[in-house]
Amino acid sequence: MQTGLKGRDLIGDLDFSKEEVETVLDVAFDLKMKRAMGIPHAYLRDKVLAMLFYFSSTRTRGSFEAGMAQLGGHAAFIESRTTQVSHGDTEVELGEIFGRYFDGIAIRHCDWDLGNRYINNVASSSRVPVLNMQCEIYHPHQCLADIMTIIEKKGRDLRRKKMVVSWAYASSYLKPMSVPQSLILQMPRFGLDVVLAHPPEFKLMPDIMDQAREQARKYHTGFEVVHDMDEACKDADIIYAKSWGPMMTTTDAAEGKRLQDSYADWIMNDARMALGKDDAIYMHPLPADRDVEVASSVLDSHQSVVFDEAENRLHAQKAVMALTM
Ligand code: CP
């Protein structure tokens, strides 16, 4: 168990070593049990987390805010439009000043080619831990909840289990690619064989792909890329099918939407779910484009674990906050 996490940032999935992630998971399971048993666990009494949002949220805001209260502290919800950022507050000022008011700074900033740099710039000027609530590259706290959920459903020994991370069609907006990128970085460390499926224009970042291949080599797991959703789903133990935008092909919103609309048949449906193992589970971080990205019959089925995933955001994030703040 590696517990030396006080003061540490969590911005990218590989910022914590595998042993440190295992510590986070151990603490998360303990906190989940304590909450179920009504055992007080005010490890962050009198501490305050700043939650700075540049993008909307349901689960992330709710789980960080509830988590801080359950740990005996408080979370301040700060919507970027209500700040003086547009009038000149820089990342250095945010880091320096919020670092003196708060005991941790959590930020969601998903703007392409801006969000991750912004979070890192704040972290460089902050004396307290900075936690990434999602940027355009990573969604590390979602990924911690996902591995926690997979362990609950499939056990600790995940070696030789097949996890499909698949693109799916969405019509609402061009979603960030941070969830699939976090998954392909973290899951090889836990022994899962990852199959990444997407139409050719929906590639992930080359640097992230290289790091994912390196993790797969290091942990002796499979890592394969296919361009056919049916082929990917065959014999899967875990199917994580969600949409993301074609930002590596075009950052033009209209062209991206045109590309996206040309793959409307990439929906996660019953026929594709049936290609997986009988006990395969379906995962999605939510929100989902219901009956566009995933059929209601899959999303609402006994194979869907989306509510457990959403719940585990709370426990995983409480563990990160208790260990770092
Ligand atoms: N999964 C997730 O991050 O949900 P929100 O966008 O609602 O926070």
Side-chain angles (χ1 to χ4, degrees), residues 174 199 208:
L174 300 177
I208 297 292

Side-chain angles (χ1 to χ4, degrees), residues 158-169:
L158 297 170
R159 202 151 277 282
R160 302 278 76 87
K161 296 238 183 284
K162 176 177 174 179
M163 177 168 189
V164 176
V165 178
S166 178
W167 187 86
Y169 174 62

Side-chain angles (χ1 to χ4, degrees), residues 13-14 21 143-144 147 182-190:
D13 296 87
L14 304 184
V21 173
C143 195
L144 291 172
I147 188 66
S182 286
L183 292 170
I184 66 170
L185 290 172
Q186 192 70 268
M187 295 307 167
R189 292 168 145 192
F190 290 86

Side-chain angles (χ1 to χ4, degrees), residues 53 55-61 108 133-134 139 142 179 285-287 313:
F53 281 90
F55 193 78
S56 54
S57 165
T58 303
R59 281 144 291 271
T60 303
R61 179 191 174 178
R108 168 171 279 196
M133 295 195 293
Q134 189 179 18
H139 199 350
Q142 177 67 52
V179 167
L286 302 179
R313 292 289 305 273

